[in-house]
Amino acid sequence: MNRRRNHRRPTRQHSPAQANAPETVGDGEDTAMFSFGTPESVIDRREIFDLFEVAHNGRWYEPPISLAGLGRAYRMAPHHQSAILLKRNLLAASFVPGTLFPKAEFARWALDWLTMGNAYLERVNSRLGRPAALRCSPAAYTRVGLLPDQFFWAPRSYAISDAVEYPAGAVHHLSEPDPMQEIYGMPEYLSALQSGLLNESATLFRRKYYLNGSHAGYILCITDENLSEKDSKAIRQAMRDSKGPGNFRNFFLHLPKGKENSVKVIPIASVGANDEFLNIKNVTAEDLLAAHRVPPQLIGMVPKGTSGFGNVNDAAAMFYEMEIVPIQSRMLEVNDWLGVEAVRFERPAMALPRTAA
């Protein structure tokens, strides 16, 4: 892979302590202002997807993205997990189980496919060499070997010697195509992964915001010239004591000779943080639903305003036809690999249209 070098103008060198310190502006001892450098993200550019490459350790190829990370991101946002579970449940409801492939193994296999873009099935043969059972090999720890039809079970990627090699030709690999490489699949929702992580970060920050209680919510400005230094220290101490557990206490301030506008409270964070939190949650939820192509009424979302989402039965039937049926057609590849019909589907009643034409 060709890598481009970024040529930048030479900058002034700083020590580690100076590099992390904020820039201070001000010429007095009592007044100080400071500003931080412009934040620059390292993961929000489209070139991050060009860094996906497949390397190998001498025995198997390493995935281009952390599969364990995708597994942890499975629960990063309710809209993400609900969309995946909806597809998994529709697939499981339409699947016809058999002696070779029980429904529990199929559900695990389908969940791997939807979450990680890779799904593996191990064929267990009888003594006569015929297929006796199909078992799901978790995609997070299954690796593609360097040789054709070679796969490894590697639950500890840092210990290559602990990996177990499957018999040649005993594993079927179902992968979501990736235009950058042909070894591993990539999940289709990857473009909305950053939105899902932002949704999770906003929720976690909001919880810490309420649990901490030491956030700057306002500026208390007192311009009364009759305020003594002793009174000023008492006010500062009272404000410090109001932080932490048991916050949001009432604060009493009495100025006998104060004027009408001598005390001002300027909010700087609370209202804006609340509005921004709601915007982030709404926008990221829309990104996730767009990436999964799931109608909002199928995952229990409440419509905003007076307009609704339409008939839920028609939405379920259309979603089944446009999303579930193509996935089923991909899963039928197992039958060609196995030589017998182990995967079969029937359209469930929930996916049938019920309104008059």
Side-chain angles (χ1 to χ4, degrees):
M1 180 178 295
N2 297 328
R3 301 182 181 274
R4 295 175 295 178
R5 297 181 178 179
N6 295 327
H7 298 280
R8 298 182 178 179
R9 293 179 298 176
T11 57
R12 185 173 53 185
Q13 300 295 327
H14 299 278
S15 63
Q18 293 175 340
N20 296 329
E23 180 182 358
T24 303
V25 181
D27 54 357
E29 297 180 356
D30 298 332
T31 304
M33 298 171 289
F34 62 91
S35 62
F36 294 93
T38 303
E40 181 178 356
S41 176
V42 297
I43 60 175
D44 64 346
R45 299 181 178 179
R46 63 182 181 180
E47 286 81 3
I48 186 65
F49 293 100
D50 295 339
L51 298 180
F52 293 156
E53 58 183 16
V54 179
H56 65 82
N57 55 18
R59 301 184 68 187
W60 63 76
Y61 292 101
E62 295 292 346
I65 190 172
S66 173
L67 298 179
L70 291 177
R72 289 189 293 268
Y74 166 63
R75 298 179 177 87
M76 64 183 175
H79 303 89
H80 176 63
Q81 186 178 17
S82 296
I84 292 179
L85 289 180
L86 174 64
K87 295 181 181 180
R88 194 279 309 269
N89 292 341
L90 289 176
L91 289 170
S94 60
F95 175 70
V96 180
T99 56
L100 289 178
F101 202 7
K103 182 166 288 190
E105 288 294 324
F106 172 81
R108 294 179 55 193
W109 182 57
L111 187 61
D112 277 354
W113 159 263
L114 296 172
T115 304
M116 302 183 182
N118 297 274
Y120 303 88
L121 277 180
E122 179 190 3
R123 181 184 63 203
V124 180
N125 294 331
S126 63
R127 294 183 178 180
L128 300 178
R130 298 177 180 176
L134 292 176
R135 293 186 301 196
C136 175
S137 179
Y141 308 109
T142 305
R143 299 292 182 264
V144 179
L146 303 183
L147 302 178
D149 295 329
Q150 185 184 36
F151 295 90
F152 291 87
W153 168 252
R156 297 191 297 175
S157 58
Y158 56 86
I160 301 179
S161 59
D162 293 345
V164 177
E165 182 178 356
Y166 288 105
V171 174
H172 177 269
H173 181 200
L174 182 66
S175 63
E176 182 72 29
D178 176 37
M180 301 299 295
Q181 46 85 32
E182 72 281 1
I183 306 301
Y184 290 96
M186 302 288 275
E188 60 181 12
Y189 62 84
L190 200 59
S191 59
L193 184 62
Q194 298 298 331
S195 294
L197 294 175
L198 177 60
N199 189 297
E200 180 189 38
S201 299
T203 303
L204 294 177
F205 173 80
R206 203 62 177 172
R207 290 189 67 244
K208 295 178 182 178
Y209 183 87
Y210 282 105
L211 293 177
N212 182 15
S214 297
H215 39 268
Y218 63 91
I219 296 175
L220 180 62
C221 179
I222 303 178
T223 59
D224 195 321
E225 59 184 8
N226 296 321
L227 185 68
S228 64
E229 183 66 23
K230 179 180 179 181
D231 295 336
S232 177
K233 292 182 179 179
I235 293 174
R236 289 198 297 267
Q237 185 62 39
M239 295 179 63
R240 293 191 187 99
D241 295 340
S242 66
K243 298 180 180 180
N247 53 354
F248 303 111
R249 300 190 184 112
N250 295 326
F251 186 75
F252 174 75
L253 177 62
H254 175 59
L255 297 176
K257 298 182 181 180
K259 298 180 181 180
E260 181 179 359
N261 296 323
S262 59
V263 178
K264 295 181 180 180
V265 177
I266 306 174
I268 61 174
S270 58
V271 177
N274 182 47
D275 294 341
E276 194 65 26
F277 173 74
L278 296 179
N279 292 335
I280 290 176
K281 296 292 288 186
N282 292 332
V283 171
T284 54
E286 293 175 357
D287 288 346
L288 291 172
L289 292 181
H292 288 288
R293 299 176 301 279
V294 175
Q297 63 267 44
L298 297 184
I299 59 174
M301 290 191 64
V302 179
K304 300 177 182 178
T306 57
S307 61
F309 292 134
N311 190 292
V312 64
N313 295 322
D314 292 343
M318 183 60 65
F319 175 74
Y320 185 91
E321 194 69 31
M322 298 182 64
E323 293 295 330
I324 303 302
V325 172
I327 297 177
Q328 292 173 347
S329 63
R330 289 292 314 277
M331 292 181 168
L332 292 178
E333 299 174 5
V334 175
N335 296 335
D336 299 333
W337 168 75
L338 193 63
V340 297
E341 188 181 37
V343 179
R344 186 163 62 94
F345 298 98
E346 290 182 353
R347 191 180 184 94
M350 70 181 72
L352 296 176
R354 300 180 183 179
T355 57

